[in-house]
């Protein structure tokens, strides 16, 4: 069977990681959540109170981001420490959106991501995978859903984790993050010309996965 690179891009909270994980399992491929890598660097800057760009850039050589498997799930590591739960907060997400605007941070992570894809057989999700990391990926998917649907999903996730957010705050956060992700100077979120757009606002998870498996199987 031909092994390919699948690039999945899209807005925050549109289900990219759920889809990418399911597709990786279906295909027997490696899954890489690049948002988790930006969040791990964000967590480092929060812990060390680094706010200025030069200080963040200077810290990059001291930061190692990796992945480990824990009970069949992928966890991100920061200098060897499992930080999976610490990176999934609103604060770390917002900081990730900010530090991801720094050119050197992007170059640092993009080089690692490209290395991970050398042997193909990978499903990677993020914002710039089909445009910058793997512009030659065989299958590029661009996921969208309305801001309200995405805010509700993120709200439900945060509540499930024991947080007590207000829906209005989560929606404002989704809109702010969309704006920053699409307007930054460095590798803004945009759809690659050859990407397939999947709007999942009104698709059930099963309907959506069937659409995606179908696209994937065209390469087999
Ligand atoms: O997908 P996520 O919410 O975990 O991503 C967190 C932030 O990281 C998001 O606001 C934008 C940034 N990001 C990026 O700039 N490029 C990527 N490939 C992945 C994430």
């Amino acid at each position: 069977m031909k092994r390919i690179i699948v690039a999945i891009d899209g807005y925050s909270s549109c289900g990219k990681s759920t889809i990418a994980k399911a597709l990786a399992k279906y295909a027997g491929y490696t899954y890489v959540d690049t948002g988790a890598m930006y969040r791990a660097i964000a967590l480092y800057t929060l812990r060390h109170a680094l706010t200025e760009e030069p200080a963040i850039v200077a810290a990059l050589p001291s930061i190692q981001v990796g992945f480990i498997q824990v009970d069949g799930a992928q966890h991100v590591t920061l200098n060897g420490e499992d930080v999976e739960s610490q990176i999934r907060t609103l604060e770390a997400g917002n900081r990730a959106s900010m530090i991801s605007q720094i050119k050197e941070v992007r170059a640092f992570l993009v080089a690692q991501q490209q290395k991970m894809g050398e042997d193909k057989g990978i499903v990677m999700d993020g914002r710039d995978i089909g445009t910058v990391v793997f512009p030659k990926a065989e299958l590029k998917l661009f996921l969208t859903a309305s801001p309200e649907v995405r805010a509700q999903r993120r709200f439900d996730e945060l509540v499930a984790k024991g947080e007590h957010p207000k829906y209005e705050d989560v929606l404002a956060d989704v809109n702010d993050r969309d704006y920053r992700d699409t307007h930054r100077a460095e590798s803004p979120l945009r759809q690659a010309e050859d990407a397939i757009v999947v709007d999942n606002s009104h698709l059930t998870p099963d309907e959506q996965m069937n659409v995606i498996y179908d696209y994937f199987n065209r390469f087999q």
Side-chain angles (χ1 to χ4, degrees):
M1 253 203 294
K2 189 180 168 210
R3 282 163 72 79
I4 65 167
I5 292 181
V6 183
I8 302 185
D9 290 301
Y11 294 97
S12 66
S13 303
C14 62
K16 288 190 301 292
S17 66
T18 309
I19 292 160
K21 269 183 221 158
L23 180 58
K25 194 166 173 206
Y26 174 83
Y29 281 15
T30 302
Y31 162 60
V32 179
D33 172 359
T34 63
M37 300 173 85
Y38 287 92
R39 284 170 181 262
I41 294 186
L43 182 66
Y44 184 97
T45 69
L46 286 167
R47 285 179 171 179
H48 293 81
L50 304 178
T51 48
E52 301 303 317
E53 198 172 309
I56 295 171
V57 172
L60 289 175
S62 330
I63 303 178
Q64 268 188 336
V65 178
F67 290 101
I68 49 169
Q69 292 295 319
V70 179
D71 300 331
Q74 193 177 68
H75 286 197
V76 70
T77 58
L78 172 61
N79 292 338
E81 176 193 347
D82 181 346
V83 289
E84 184 62 29
S85 59
Q86 284 103 305
I87 62 160
R88 305 286 170 199
T89 60
L90 270 181
E91 189 188 25
N94 282 328
R95 180 60 77 94
S97 177
M98 286 169 201
I99 59 103
S100 66
Q101 299 180 37
I102 304 172
K103 188 169 78 186
E104 290 84 351
V105 169
R106 302 204 70 82
F108 178 76
L109 289 182
V110 167
Q112 295 177 26
Q113 292 154 5
Q114 287 172 333
K115 222 170 165 30
M116 292 172 179
E118 270 170 2
D119 296 330
K120 301 211 171 190
I122 195 164
V123 180
M124 192 174 276
D125 75 12
R127 305 291 190 287
D128 58 343
I129 312 305
T131 51
V132 176
V133 182
F134 297 122
K136 294 195 176 138
E138 288 86 350
L139 176 59
K140 298 181 185 178
L141 300 171
F142 190 88
L143 301 180
T144 67
S146 71
E148 291 74 18
V149 166
R150 289 185 285 127
Q152 187 64 50
R153 289 179 189 157
R154 184 159 288 229
F155 177 86
D156 294 344
E157 262 170 38
L158 292 168
V159 169
K161 279 192 201 119
E163 294 194 31
H164 305 284
K166 278 202 214 137
Y167 172 80
E168 293 71 32
D169 292 346
V170 179
L171 178 61
D173 187 73
V174 164
N175 283 321
D176 286 352
R177 196 145 356 145
D178 284 358
Y179 186 86
R180 279 204 298 271
D181 289 350
T182 50
H183 287 78
R184 65 177 176 226
E186 289 302 325
S187 311
L189 170 65
R190 65 178 176 82
Q191 187 194 321
E193 269 170 28
D194 50 349
I196 297 163
V197 179
V198 179
D199 182 335
N200 64 24
S201 303
H202 305 292
L203 292 179
T204 66
D206 279 352
E207 284 168 347
Q208 165 175 266
M209 285 322 301
N210 285 335
V211 168
I212 288 169
Y213 294 152
D214 198 42
Y215 285 125
F216 175 79
N217 285 329
R218 292 181 194 177
F219 290 92
Q220 302 308 301

